Each structure stands twice: as C-alpha cells, then as structure tokens.
Amino acid sequence: MTDKDQPTTMERIQLEVTAVSRRIEGMDASISSLTLETKSMRSDIASLQSRVTGFEHRMGTLETQMATIQDRDQDLPYLRSKITDLEDRSRRHNIRLFGIPENKERPDVHAFLSIGLPKLTSLTFDPPLEFQRAHRVGLKHPDGASRLRPIIACLLRHTQTRQLLQVECNHGPFRIDKYEIRITDDYSKDTN
C-alpha cells in the first residue's frame, strides 16, 4: 500500500468523529429509551404506592372490625346465659306432660287437664286449675302409639305449677290405663 492509499490524518479524524457521532446517536436513542422506561417505572411505582396506601387503609379498617368482633365474642357467653335465663323465666308457669295417649284429651285440652290432673294427682286445687294455654308438641305420627307427643300446659298460677311438680317428685309417675304419665318442668333447651 502506498502513501497515497493511506488516509490522511484529517480523514482519519473525520472517520473517528463520524464513528463517535454514530455512537453518540445510539447512546441518545438508548438514553431516550431509558428515560421512557424510567417514566413508566415511576408511574408504576406511584400506582403501586397508591395501592399500598389503599391496602394499608383497608387493613386498618379490618383490624378495627376484628377488634370489634372479638369484643362481641367475649360478650357472647354472657348474652347466651342471659337469654337462657329469660327463656326459663318465661316458661316457669309451664309443665310438660309425657305419656298421655293421643286423642285422650279431645275435644278440649284445657277441660281434660282441668279435670284430669286433679284426679290423676289426687290433689284438690282452690281455686281450680286454670290454663293460659295447652297443646301437644311435635308432629303427629300416623301410627300414633309408637311415639306419644308431650303436652305443654301453661298454668295461670305459679303455685299450682309447683304443687303439681312436687307431687310428681314425691309420688313418681302416674298411671292412666296402661300408660305411665310423667309431669316435668318446661325448661329451655340449654337448661335441659
């Protein structure tokens, strides 16, 4: 190669300047791309921060609700016992009669009990037995004899309720024909 074929210093500098300017243009494009990515990342970070703030707020709300629920859970046994007590008090005039044959009380349960209980227990009541309500409990079975439904009776006077239960306690079950009749308190499910 001759000296003429070799580029001059000026040409070499121009070639190097051209190469450097191309690299700079490539870097500018990379920087522009990085700038866009950075802006996108900043936007994503801002979005994530707002979501985290929302989650923190929701977590605080949930923690408050959990504390309230835990307070209520602590009150639950007390309230349950209170309800049981109130139910038992509302049933204190009631008695349950087990073993009375189906349809024996027809046509009027009140009349049957007003006449039948004094005979059954050999007690005399002054004033006579009076009932606020009386009825059979549960579904009637087609065969009737396999399961006798109890009768619940609410007496007008609490003293008469106690007398009947005392006689049951002292005497034990009573009999009508072949049926054994029992008289018990009518307590709530929890008390039973």
Side-chain angles (χ1 to χ4, degrees):
M1 204 183 209
T2 63
D3 283 338
K4 281 191 169 189
D5 291 338
Q6 289 196 2
T8 64
T9 309
M10 197 60 149
E11 289 174 340
R12 268 188 274 150
I13 291 175
Q14 275 185 336
L15 286 174
E16 283 183 32
V17 167
T18 304
V20 168
S21 72
R22 283 186 189 149
R23 276 192 261 171
I24 289 174
E25 286 174 7
M27 286 183 190
D28 282 346
S30 295
I31 289 172
S32 295
S33 172
L34 287 173
T35 303
L36 287 175
E37 285 181 36
T38 304
K39 286 180 182 177
S40 173
M41 285 181 180
R42 283 184 182 156
S43 172
D44 290 347
I45 288 171
S47 172
L48 286 173
Q49 284 176 336
S50 72
R51 289 177 70 189
V52 166
T53 303
F55 287 140
E56 287 173 347
H57 176 71
R58 289 170 61 188
M59 269 307 265
T61 302
L62 287 173
E63 286 171 352
T64 303
Q65 289 173 349
M66 283 297 291
T68 303
I69 289 170
Q70 287 172 347
D71 288 346
R72 288 180 187 163
D73 282 351
Q74 290 173 354
D75 291 344
L76 210 59
Y78 170 74
L79 293 174
R80 185 170 281 137
S81 70
K82 201 75 161 146
I83 288 171
T84 300
D85 181 55
L86 289 171
E87 187 175 353
D88 287 341
R89 286 175 191 271
S90 73
R91 292 177 175 212
R92 70 180 174 186
H93 293 279
N94 294 1
I95 57 172
R96 279 186 183 253
L97 295 115
F98 293 94
I100 295 177
E102 292 284 333
N103 299 322
K104 187 86 169 172
E105 77 280 4
R106 295 282 180 216
D108 183 16
V109 179
H110 291 243
F112 170 77
L113 292 177
S114 294
I115 296 166
L117 280 177
K119 284 182 186 177
L120 184 67
T121 60
S122 302
L123 288 175
T124 54
F125 293 98
D126 186 34
L129 286 178
E130 290 184 71
F131 298 93
Q132 290 180 352
R133 61 190 173 280
H135 59 277
R136 289 237 182 225
V137 180
L139 298 174
K140 186 173 185 173
H141 288 282
D143 58 356
S146 67
R147 178 175 163 245
L148 300 175
R149 296 177 299 153
I151 294 176
I152 292 184
C154 179
L155 283 87
L156 190 61
R157 293 173 193 84
H158 183 66
T159 54
Q160 292 175 337
T161 305
R162 292 291 114 207
Q163 280 179 305
L164 286 169
L165 292 169
Q166 187 63 42
V167 168
E168 166 70 23
C169 183
N170 293 336
H171 181 276
F174 300 100
R175 291 198 139 337
I176 294 180
D177 301 330
K178 63 178 182 174
Y179 297 99
E180 190 175 271
I181 311 301
R182 290 180 301 124
I183 302 170
T184 65
D185 280 306
D186 179 37
Y187 287 119
S188 66
K189 189 176 182 179
D190 288 341
T191 303
N192 279 336

